[in-house]
């Protein structure tokens, strides 16, 4: 096994609103006002989907570079589905996403075959994607390039 690297985040919560510090970056996770939050940031569940989209984008550019592929832009839309009854105490229902769909649109002059290979590398290397997958979340990934779907 290779060397391990640590990542650290600290948080302070006042009510539902949570202020987080990651390296030099400060941000908030919160809930909408109708559930007692201040709506000062995304919910933790939205932040998870955002982390997935960001990680997929970063991994796509890194993998493309290692494969000598040119990618101009990556746009990602992520949809997560869960049953909220688990968060309300129903022990028979998972408290996390059961299905996540990732829709990726790439601007690139590369072939559809190269984009398919890139998709495979991203799914292999993206830590957040693999965290969801290891939790048993059904992952559906659709990549599009100039009207083609892989």
């Amino acid at each position: 096994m290779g060397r391990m690297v640590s990542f650290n985040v600290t948080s302070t919560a006042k009510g539902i609103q949570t202020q987080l510090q990651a390296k030099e970056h400060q941000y908030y996770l919160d809930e909408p006002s109708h559930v007692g939050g201040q709506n000062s940031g995304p919910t933790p569940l939205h932040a998870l989907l955002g982390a997935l989209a960001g990680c997929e984008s970063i991994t796509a550019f890194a993998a493309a570079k290692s494969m000598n592929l040119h990618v101009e832009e990556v746009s990602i839309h992520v949809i997560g589905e869960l049953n909220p009854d688990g968060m309300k105490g129903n022990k028979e229902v998972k408290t996390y996403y059961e299905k996540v769909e990732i829709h990726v649109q790439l601007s690139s002059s590369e072939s559809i075959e190269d984009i398919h290979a890139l998709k495979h590398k991203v799914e292999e290397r993206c830590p957040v994607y693999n965290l969801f997958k290891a939790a048993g979340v059904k992952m559906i990934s659709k990549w599009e390039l100039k009207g083609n779907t892989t």
Side-chain angles (χ1 to χ4, degrees):
M1 181 183 240
R3 71 182 174 97
M4 300 299 285
V5 177
S6 294
F7 292 83
N8 299 288
V9 175
T10 57
S11 70
T12 305
K14 293 183 180 177
I16 292 176
Q17 181 192 56
T18 303
Q19 179 180 340
L20 297 111
Q21 184 81 32
K23 295 172 63 175
E24 68 274 8
H25 306 286
Q26 186 178 62
Y27 59 102
Y28 291 91
L29 295 180
D30 205 351
E31 291 288 336
S33 55
H34 74 275
V35 293
Q38 297 178 31
N39 203 31
S40 62
T43 69
L45 290 169
H46 284 102
L48 277 173
L49 297 179
L52 176 58
C55 192
E56 285 250 326
S57 294
I58 291 165
T59 305
F61 278 105
K65 184 177 182 181
S66 74
M67 297 168 71
N68 294 315
L69 300 177
H70 176 72
V71 174
E72 296 168 26
E73 184 177 86
V74 177
S75 298
I76 299 178
H77 180 209
V78 182
I79 304 163
E81 292 183 6
L82 63 77
N83 182 336
D85 290 345
M87 294 182 292
K88 295 175 183 173
N90 184 339
K91 295 185 186 322
E92 295 178 17
V93 178
K94 294 177 183 173
T95 59
Y96 54 89
Y97 291 116
E98 293 189 34
K99 180 172 87 171
V100 171
E101 293 184 39
I102 306 162
H103 301 270
V104 180
Q105 291 185 330
L106 289 157
S107 295
S108 177
S109 58
E110 303 295 344
S111 71
I112 197 72
E113 292 80 18
D114 285 338
I115 297 306
H116 184 72
L118 176 61
K119 174 187 177 206
H120 178 73
K121 288 290 182 200
V122 169
E123 290 174 355
E124 206 173 62
R125 297 181 185 179
C126 178
V128 178
Y129 178 91
N130 285 298
L131 187 62
F132 276 94
K133 196 171 172 184
V137 177
K138 181 178 179 180
M139 302 298 286
I140 299 169
S141 186
K142 299 176 183 175
W143 287 45
E144 292 181 351
L145 174 64
K146 297 179 183 176
N148 295 319
T149 302
T150 65

